[in-house]
Amino acid sequence: VQLVESGGGVVQAGGSRRLSCAASGMAFNDYIFHWVRQVPGKGLEWLALLSFDETRKSLRGSVIGRFTVSRDTFKKTVYLQMAGLRLEDTAIYFCAANRGDGSFDFWGQGTLVSVSS
Amino acid sequence: SYVLTQPPSVSVAPGKTATITCGGNNIGVESVHWYQHHPGQAPVSLIYYNPDRPSGIPERISGSNSDNTATLTITRVEAGDEADYYCQVWDLNTDSWVFGGGTKLTVL
């Protein structure tokens, strides 16, 4: 099982960025996918979840209106679209997967997003 | 929203026992998960549905949960256990997930 994030980089404040999470070696339809970030020097912060059929979609309150999640079942890829980026959004963004309310069994290595002024 | 409170740091000598707590309102009725995170790597699930362990996690790592505190216990601590540890629960009311603030375990 592998989750591979991509799309990180340097972006100016106010800009947009789309992160991707490609899943392999797993039954895509069995899992719920999450985005979690870690701001430098801080702890893990859950951002969003999305089920493969999109019946479950939820976002952290502080990013509602700026971040959205979507998926491409054919590509087995989940996306985090971020807009109106702020300096405080600078973080490593991880993709993770779980079943139901179980623990996040699988994690990617993360992709770094740096927001510059 | 639900809040989980962890001590920022815990220090323990090699071979001793480390105890990391996670406080939450009536957390004893919640399904608590624990993760180990070495900086620069992906987090790893240690305990799920407290106190179950994923395959590959040694028995010296255990979890318990009662009243307002969940506890992660690591016995016979090794240098490789030095990492950040996070507790986590699912907030049913908002269909969102909550992490504790994390505890940095230092092996002296």
Side-chain angles (χ1 to χ4, degrees):
Chain A
V1 175
Q2 200 171 18
L3 297 175
V4 179
E5 303 95 337
S6 60
V10 180
V11 59
Q12 282 204 322
S16 300
R17 199 79 176 183
R18 189 179 79 162
L19 305 182
S20 301
C21 170
S24 61
M26 65 195 304
F28 189 78
N29 294 355
D30 288 349
Y31 287 87
I32 297 169
F33 294 86
H34 303 263
W35 287 97
V36 176
R37 71 181 177 186
Q38 183 175 34
V39 171
K42 303 294 185 181
L44 299 177
E45 180 179 66
W46 176 85
L47 293 175
L49 69 82
L50 181 68
S51 62
F52 81 97
D53 58 4
E54 296 192 327
T55 57
R56 283 183 67 189
K57 182 185 291 190
S58 181
L59 289 166
R60 184 182 191 85
S62 60
V63 303
I64 291 174
R66 296 194 303 127
F67 292 8
T68 59
V69 285
S70 62
R71 91 288 186 260
D72 183 326
T73 54
F74 181 75
K75 294 182 178 180
K76 294 188 176 181
T77 298
V78 178
Y79 303 99
L80 180 68
Q81 180 69 51
M82 305 183 293
L85 284 165
R86 306 166 181 168
L87 297 179
E88 56 265 34
D89 293 319
T90 293
I92 298 173
Y93 287 74
F94 295 97
C95 174
N98 78 325
R99 300 187 189 196
D101 63 347
S103 65
F104 293 7
D105 296 328
F106 306 112
W107 293 75
Q109 289 296 317
T111 187
L112 176 63
V113 174
S114 295
V115 183
S116 64
S117 58
Chain B
S1 61
Y2 199 75
V3 176
L4 297 175
T5 302
Q6 298 182 235
S9 63
V10 167
S11 298
V12 63
K16 300 300 185 181
T17 297
T19 300
I20 298 173
T21 59
C22 174
N25 185 33
N26 207 23
I27 197 173
V29 302
E30 303 291 341
S31 294
V32 181
H33 310 304
W34 287 92
Y35 301 88
Q36 177 190 64
H37 187 206
H38 287 101
Q41 299 182 21
V44 173
S45 175
L46 289 180
I47 297 287
Y48 63 96
Y49 292 124
N50 205 22
D52 296 332
R53 281 186 305 276
S55 60
I57 302 300
E59 292 184 1
R60 62 186 187 86
I61 294 176
S62 63
S64 62
N65 192 16
S66 179
D67 297 330
N68 295 312
T69 303
T71 302
L72 178 72
T73 302
I74 306 174
T75 61
R76 302 186 302 281
V77 166
E78 305 169 353
D81 296 326
E82 187 162 289
D84 298 317
Y85 293 82
Y86 296 89
C87 57
Q88 180 201 41
V89 299
W90 176 46
D91 186 339
L92 169 66
N93 294 324
T94 58
D95 195 14
S96 63
W97 287 83
V98 180
F99 285 98
T103 298
K104 179 176 180 57
L105 176 65
T106 299
V107 181
L108 300 172

